[in-house]
Amino acid sequence: GESVGLHLPTLSVQEGDNSIINCAYSNSASDYFIWYKQESGKGPQFIIDIRSNMDKRQGQRVTVLLNKTVKHLSLQIAATQPGDSAVYFCAEKLNNAGNMLTFGGGTRLMVKP
Amino acid sequence: SAVISQKPSRDICQRGTSLTIQCQVDSQVTMMFWYRQQPGQSLTLIATANQGSEATYESGFVIDKFPISRPNLTFSTLTVSNMSPEDSSIYLCSVEDHGSAGVYSYEQYFGPGTRLTVT
């Protein structure tokens, strides 16, 4: 079976409910943040990003909130679907070419039908 | 966004042997990265590979153990040398490319990974 996410914190939600996944980042100098979704057997998939000059950004069914004061990032998924079941990682970096991404620990989202 | 493929997708290897993982991108990119994802863990950067220069390794990773080639702007290889069971991981290739905001955004995309088991 797939080994990714076995030991990660798990969020279990009912299909149709909203999900909120939280992340604390480490570097106060980071100015670019990304949420990735990693499904079983696949590499991380880009979901949404946000720059430090914003505190909210919306995509299709997803919203990212950034609180620079407490170095906190959240991903909100509206009307969660079974296909949203995956491991979600936040990542931070300095928004210049070639700077490394630093990944958070990840959260496993399980959607109950 | 860049499309990335990796070979092999998975392998089971004996300790003491070496495995070379290939990463192919469908467009020319300057920055390529190699990550390791151990079972149940997040991603850790191994090294950054730019075409025409030596790879830059992160703390805890050395060239003798993880030699990297970057012969052109669409291809890279990572070799896991003298493998031990502790090297069992998913190895991921990643590239940096301009994102939806154009030349002022630097999004990073990942390949599907190579699942390595060392026995």
Side-chain angles (χ1 to χ4, degrees):
Chain A
E2 179 55 54
S3 60
V4 171
L6 279 179
H7 307 296
L8 298 172
T10 298
L11 174 66
S12 186
V13 301
Q14 203 70 38
E15 181 179 357
D17 288 352
N18 296 333
S19 303
I20 300 176
I21 301 171
N22 296 303
C23 175
Y25 65 91
S26 57
N27 187 352
S28 57
S30 293
D31 56 5
Y32 181 54
F33 306 88
I34 309 172
W35 280 100
Y36 286 94
K37 172 186 181 183
Q38 188 173 27
E39 297 176 277
S40 178
K42 298 182 179 179
Q45 175 189 1
F46 178 96
I47 302 174
I48 191 169
D49 61 358
I50 188 169
R51 285 162 180 75
S52 59
N53 61 351
M54 304 171 70
D55 53 20
K56 179 179 180 180
R57 189 168 186 223
Q58 288 185 294
Q60 187 176 16
R61 277 202 310 120
V62 295
T63 301
V64 55
L65 298 177
L66 174 63
N67 185 332
K68 295 181 288 294
T69 302
V70 295
K71 294 190 288 186
H72 184 268
L73 198 64
S74 69
L75 177 70
Q76 300 178 2
I77 304 174
T80 312
Q81 302 169 359
D84 295 325
S85 294
V87 177
Y88 290 81
F89 294 98
C90 68
E92 60 181 298
K93 67 175 288 188
L94 294 173
N95 190 33
N96 295 313
N99 282 314
M100 61 178 285
L101 273 176
T102 300
F103 279 81
T107 298
R108 182 180 182 88
L109 176 65
M110 296 180 64
V111 181
K112 297 178 287 186
Chain B
S1 62
V3 177
I4 306 165
S5 60
Q6 287 184 233
K7 290 182 183 179
S9 58
R10 61 178 66 236
D11 207 343
I12 301 173
C13 301
Q14 291 190 336
R15 69 173 67 209
T17 63
S18 297
L19 176 70
T20 295
I21 302 167
Q22 299 179 7
C23 176
Q24 181 75 51
V25 190
D26 69 342
S27 59
Q28 294 185 337
V29 293
T30 302
M31 305 297 299
M32 293 182 79
F33 307 88
W34 286 98
Y35 286 81
R36 182 172 72 182
Q37 187 175 29
Q38 294 184 302
Q41 302 292 320
S42 186
L43 286 78
T44 301
L45 181 66
I46 298 172
T48 302
N50 293 337
Q51 192 264 338
S53 63
E54 293 285 330
T56 303
Y57 289 82
E58 297 301 309
S59 176
F61 298 97
V62 295
I63 188 171
D64 290 347
K65 175 68 176 177
F66 298 101
I68 288 171
S69 78
R70 182 79 202 274
N72 57 53
L73 293 174
T74 63
F75 187 78
S76 179
T77 66
L78 169 76
T79 299
V80 187
S81 303
N82 188 25
M83 288 183 284
S84 66
E86 292 70 34
D87 294 320
S88 298
S89 283
I90 301 170
Y91 291 86
L92 294 145
C93 172
S94 175
V95 305
E96 184 178 77
D97 198 4
H98 294 303
S100 55
V103 297
Y104 297 109
S105 75
Y106 300 97
E107 295 177 5
Q108 204 164 323
Y109 303 95
F110 286 83
T114 295
R115 285 144 187 82
L116 171 62
T117 302
V118 184
T119 61

